[in-house]
Every structure is written in structure tokens, then in C-alpha cells.
């Protein structure tokens, strides 16, 4: 099957099912996942689909947001590598017992980072993500602060005024930030306005901003914009981000690590 034929069939499946995912398409068409990603990129550029975590949705469904379990299953290996690379950005460095303060954004990669924090680490950690807090609740060396607010069921994250007020009072050493999409032109975006407001507050609440984002999110743009790539000191992503794209991002002033 030629690429245009395959892309036409992918578009049909996306419109019929509401979304398609890379791995299922690769199996169905007996091609590599990278071939499918190129197909989806071509369809996205044509305005026919919108790329999302691990796949795509038909254009026009900008309100679509996968739930937490679905997002956690996508790019699992890449997220694990990103989380381990992020350990080096903890105050004191990877594997040390240094002290300091960090903010962990709500997100599946942030949960993986929380699980990797060494037991000997002595940190003050602030989060508004319930899964992150649950992962850290029994850590012996941490002082854990859970920010409250209205809980969004889809992300298990606290939002609205309570959360915003709490973050306005903080000045943490490092923020580990999550996003649904990032690009040079479109900045940092997420589907929900309330989550975007909290993320905007997070960026101003830390001296150093580290973005944890798998490469599938590069080029994605969602409804609510909460920052620019220039707001990010360091992007930790995976090797799916091409060297050329990494260089283009670094030209904006953001350091890039491909784990």
C-alpha cells in the first residue's frame, strides 16, 4: 500500500472511531511506528487530523483529552527514561541526599519521576496532582505539601482559585512542568483553561523550570496556551525528537536533553 492510500485509510479510521493510535495502526498496516508517525504528521499538516498523545483525532475535536490511565500507557518507555534523566535536576543532583524545594506538576511523567526520587533525598515537595502526592506520601525524607482546589476527574489535578492562591505564595528551586503540547510557534498548550491557569502560576513559582515532555507532544497545539518555550530553562524529552528540532528549540534559549 502506498503512503497516500494508507493515509486515506487512517483518516477514515480516525473519523469513524474518534481517534487512532500509532501502535494499532502500525500493526494493522504492517509498517513501523515511525512510518505511522510520518503519516499522521502529513495528515496533521494538511489540517485533516490533530495529533494527540500516541495517535491522532479528527480535526475539529480540539476538546478531546485522554484520561489519566490512557495517557500513562502511551510512550511508557520514553516517559520512564525522561523521569530518570530528570533526577539530575533535583536540588543536590541525582542520587544525593541534598535538600531543596521542588514543585511537581500533575502528569504521568511527573508520577514516574516521583517514584524514582531516592529514599535518601531530603526535599520539600509541592504538588497539586493527587497521583503524585499518593506516590510520595510514604517517602521518608520528604516534606510533602498537597495543594488543594477543585479536582478535575480526567487528570486528578487541583485547579481554580485555591490552587492559584497557594502557588502565588511559593518560590521553589525547581519546577518539573508537564504539558499536552509544545512547539516553537505555539508555545506550551493544554486542552483545559483551568489547568492552563495553574500551569501559568507554576512557572512563576519556581526559579528554574524543567519541562518533562515526550517527543510525540512536539508540534501539538491545544486550546489553552499557558506559556512559551522561552519560559523553560530545560526540556527533557526522548530521542524521538530529531536533532534538528532539538537544535531549533535550543535557539530559543531552552536547553534540550534527549533521554
Amino acid at each position: 500500500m502506498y503512503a497516500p492510500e494508507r493515509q486515506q485509510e487512517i483518516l477514515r479510521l480516525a473519523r469513524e472511531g474518534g481517534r487512532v493510535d500509532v501502535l494499532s495502526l502500525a500493526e494493522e498496516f504492517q509498517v513501523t511506528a515511525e512510518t505511522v508517525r510520518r503519516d499522521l504528521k502529513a495528515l496533521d499538516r494538511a489540517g485533516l487530523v490533530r495529533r494527540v498523545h500516541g495517535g491522532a483525532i479528527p480535526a475539529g475535536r480540539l476538546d478531546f483529552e485522554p484520561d489519566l490511565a490512557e495517557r500513562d500507557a502511551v510512550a511508557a518507555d520514553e516517559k520512564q527514561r525522561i523521569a530518570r534523566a530528570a533526577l539530575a535536576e533535583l536540588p543536590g543532583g541525582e542520587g544525593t541526599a541534598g535538600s531543596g524545594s521542588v514543585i511537581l506538576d500533575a502528569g504521568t511523567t511527573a508520577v514516574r519521576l516521583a517514584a524514582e526520587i531516592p529514599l535518601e533525598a531530603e526535599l520539600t515537595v509541592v504538588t497539586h496532582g493527587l497521583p503524585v502526592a499518593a506516590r510520595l506520601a510514604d517517602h521518608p525524607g520528604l516534606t510533602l505539601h498537597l495543594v488543594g482546589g477543585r479536582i478535575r476527574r480526567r487528570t486528578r489535578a487541583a485547579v481554580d482559585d485555591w490552587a492559584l492562591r497557594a502557588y502565588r505564595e511559593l518560590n521553589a528551586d525547581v519546577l518539573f512542568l508537564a504539558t499536552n503540547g509544545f512547539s516553537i510557534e505555539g508555545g506550551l498548550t493544554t486542552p483545559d483553561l483551568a489547568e492552563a491557569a495553574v500551569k501559568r502560576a507554576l512557572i512563576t513559582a519556581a526559579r528554574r523550570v524543567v519541562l518533562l515532555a515526550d517527543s510525540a507532544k512536539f508540534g501539538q497545539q491545544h486550546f489553552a496556551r499557558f506559556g512559551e518555550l522561552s519560559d523553560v530553562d530545560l526540556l527533557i524529552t526522548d530521542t524521538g525528537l530529531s536533532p534538528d528540532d532539538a537544535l531549533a528549540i535550543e535557539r530559543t534559549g531552552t536547553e534540550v536533553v534527549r533521554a
Side-chain angles (χ1 to χ4, degrees):
M1 181 181 289
Y2 293 108
E5 297 173 303
R6 188 173 56 248
Q7 290 166 12
Q8 186 65 34
E9 183 65 10
I10 289 172
L11 180 59
R12 183 187 67 79
L13 292 170
R15 287 172 173 169
E16 288 182 357
R19 76 167 284 145
V20 288
D21 69 87
V22 170
L23 296 181
S24 295
L25 291 173
E27 182 177 354
E28 177 164 346
F29 294 113
Q30 294 296 294
V31 295
T32 65
E34 185 57 36
T35 295
V36 172
R37 292 190 185 98
R38 286 197 295 268
D39 288 336
L40 294 180
K41 188 173 183 179
L43 291 169
D44 182 274
R45 285 175 173 171
L48 298 172
V49 303
R50 175 73 65 181
R51 295 173 70 189
V52 297
H53 304 293
I57 60 173
R61 292 192 60 201
L62 299 184
D63 59 337
F64 180 84
E65 185 180 10
D67 63 23
L68 201 65
E70 183 179 353
R71 293 204 313 274
D72 188 50
V74 173
D77 291 341
E78 289 85 350
K79 290 175 181 178
Q80 194 65 39
R81 295 200 304 271
I82 291 168
R84 288 173 180 160
L87 289 175
E89 300 306 313
L90 291 172
E94 180 178 357
T96 72
S99 62
S101 56
V102 303
I103 299 171
L104 285 179
D105 194 3
T108 55
T109 308
V111 174
R112 292 173 185 270
L113 172 57
E116 293 287 335
I117 295 177
L119 291 178
E120 63 270 23
E122 297 177 359
L123 298 167
T124 297
V125 179
V126 183
T127 186
H128 60 289
L130 294 184
V132 175
R135 179 68 70 173
L136 294 175
D138 294 325
H139 193 294
L142 303 186
T143 300
L144 178 64
H145 297 269
L146 177 60
V147 170
R150 176 177 64 86
I151 302 299
R152 287 195 70 224
R153 293 187 183 92
R154 188 165 291 276
T155 60
R156 308 296 192 270
V159 295
D160 294 344
D161 195 49
W162 284 2
L164 294 174
R165 285 203 309 267
Y167 281 123
R168 289 188 193 113
E169 297 176 357
L170 299 185
N171 187 24
D173 293 318
V174 183
L175 160 66
F176 292 97
L177 180 67
T179 187
N180 295 77
F182 68 100
S183 66
I184 295 172
E185 299 82 8
L188 310 173
T189 58
T190 193
D192 184 75
L193 287 169
E195 295 236 21
V198 172
K199 291 177 183 293
R200 201 172 295 117
L202 296 180
I203 291 172
T204 64
R207 289 185 285 275
R208 179 169 171 79
V209 178
V210 178
L211 178 64
L212 310 179
D214 62 81
S215 61
K217 298 174 184 175
F218 181 64
Q220 293 186 32
Q221 294 185 39
H222 296 269
F223 177 64
R225 184 168 179 158
F226 62 88
E228 308 295 335
L229 271 175
S230 58
D231 295 323
V232 175
D233 296 292
L234 171 66
L235 163 65
I236 303 180
T237 185
D238 58 80
T239 53
L241 184 75
S242 72
D244 288 343
D245 287 335
L247 182 60
I249 291 172
E250 289 191 324
R251 290 194 183 108
T252 71
T254 299
E255 182 185 356
V256 178
V257 169
R258 298 161 67 240

